[in-house]
Amino acid sequence: MDLHVHELLSRLELPVALKLATKVRRILENIKKHPGDAKYRSMSKTAFNNQTDNCGAGVGLIKFLGFEEAGDRLLFTDTLSGLHQSYELIDAAVLTLMEKHRQVTERNLANNHTAMMKAESNRMALLDSKKALNDLLLHPDTDTVGNVSNLKTLPTDVLVNLDKLLRNIAENPSSEKYRTLKKSNAMIATILSCPHAATHLQQAGFTDSSDNSLVCNSEPHHLASCIKALDAAVSQQAADEELAFEKQAEEMKALRKKKPKVDPSDQPLGALDPSVQEELTTAMQLINDIQGYMEQEYLLRGAIGFDATFRKEGMKILEQFKVHRSFKILHELRDNWAHKIEVTKRETKRSMVNTIYCPPDPETGKPHPASFINN
């Protein structure tokens, strides 16, 4: 019997087998504790399958240990002595599975620890290689291998990819995968299509291999010299682009000075396009109407010296029109001021017929107080 239980459980993965065996042991344990209670001797087959991940071997195992199928129910029909024997079998199976699970867990932990240590070792080695490469690049005795003038004519993406290829080898000197370039690779094919880039790969130590690939056997010191040339080419590219941008900006600035932007509203009406002339004429008429209403308002209110105020208001209105090019603003302002005049006339019970404007004092240049003569 023990061999049969072991055979059934061995077909399953360890976590599933342990879950199934633990569930069956709990069922038999409840029957042992409550031998006279019928509810512990019967259970739903569907529920049992769901609780054991529908592993397939669950029903066969529990039938072997004393249960029988009755429709969708599983009934325990064995004797008490058979119950004890079945419990001992499944309990031993659970203990065995738990020990296996413990061993697997410890082994996985040990493997994970080893992998982590290896990853950390690789990380530290990479950091050391990067530092060594940077030291070589910054060292004044490191030569520059490669024609910088030719390299700076290469497309930026080609320069970047070349730099990446050589740095990968220099930073991982013991890794063979970075030293072999397949010509069928799209990026490598693009690099090789540029003659200056292909020449630089040869100068870096890449040679043709029999399997349609390129192999590099150069030491980090030589690769650093080649990378230094690429860095110089990138720097010169950036400097040239900056000079070109500055030159373009100066040309644009000179062009703007040569052909200043002309505001149509600042030109004589006769020099404007007929449609623009009509537009500005209408705007000026509306602004004159608004200023006239404003003048009446100030006179009715008794405020003298309105010339400056009108000038400011008129300029403000004109600026708004220049920005928005909307007659709606001017019409609304004119209507608002016309309404305001009517309200003021009703309040003061005066009209412009009864109003005499006193000009400024010729000696002081200051306006006299407002004078109103009511007929």
Side-chain angles (χ1 to χ4, degrees), residues 10 59 97 134 142 165 176 190 238 282-283 306 308-309 342 353 368-369:
S10 63
V59 174
L97 291 172
N134 289 333
T142 302
L165 291 174
E176 292 298 326
T190 302
T282 305
F306 48 79
T309 304
E342 294 301 322
V353 178
H368 292 290

Side-chain angles (χ1 to χ4, degrees), residues 40-56:
Y40 292 106
R41 292 174 171 267
S42 174
M43 61 182 171
S44 167
K45 183 166 66 175
T46 303
F48 175 74
N49 284 329
N50 291 337
Q51 292 170 4
T52 55
D53 298 334
N54 294 304
C55 60

